[in-house]
Amino acid sequence: MNTSGGRNLVLLGIGAILITFITTFVSLKIYHDSGDIYLDRSRPGFLPEKEEAESDKESADFKFPDSGDITNEVLDEYLNNLKQEIDRLNDFSDDPFGSAPLSNENLGF
């Protein structure tokens, strides 16, 4: 009987696992050191800072309170702003795949 075949298979498996750990470690180290890890906002620990979130809120043309009564005045303001956004989006219906939706003006640059 040849028992070296089983031993070679075990060594091959251990070698493959070691190579996997080494390449994974190197890729995660590069990901962390390059700073790309901080761009991944989908991870819970890397949500935008409070100052960033506040500056994004300030860029909106209109604001609504987080809590409070819904009155006719508030509802009318909301519907008016919603209609303006819908009209702006409908302007793209002529050529939705053209360059207009990606212009600097529409992106707010």
Side-chain angles (χ1 to χ4, degrees):
M1 295 252 143
N2 187 0
T3 60
S4 65
R7 190 186 82 206
N8 288 341
L9 186 59
V10 169
L11 289 175
L12 180 65
I14 291 172
I17 290 172
L18 284 175
I19 290 172
T20 303
F21 280 126
I22 291 169
T23 56
T24 302
F25 174 78
V26 168
S27 64
L28 286 174
K29 183 74 173 152
I30 291 170
Y31 181 60
H32 182 269
D33 291 346
S34 69
D36 290 342
I37 193 169
Y38 301 107
L39 298 175
D40 190 359
R41 301 299 178 128
S42 63
R43 296 180 60 197
F46 297 104
L47 294 175
E49 297 295 326
K50 186 174 184 175
E51 297 83 26
E52 270 183 63
E54 291 297 323
S55 68
D56 289 345
K57 288 180 184 178
E58 292 172 2
S59 66
D61 295 336
F62 50 89
K63 294 182 183 180
F64 295 101
D66 295 336
S67 61
D69 296 333
I70 299 177
T71 62
N72 285 336
E73 185 179 294
V74 171
L75 188 58
D76 288 340
E77 181 184 357
Y78 172 76
L79 292 175
N80 184 30
N81 287 318
L82 180 63
K83 183 176 180 343
Q84 288 175 1
E85 289 298 319
I86 289 173
D87 290 343
R88 189 176 67 84
L89 292 173
N90 285 336
D91 289 341
F92 297 133
S93 63
D94 296 336
D95 188 15
F97 297 106
S99 62
L102 295 177
S103 70
N104 286 343
E105 180 182 305
N106 288 324
L107 293 177
F109 295 132

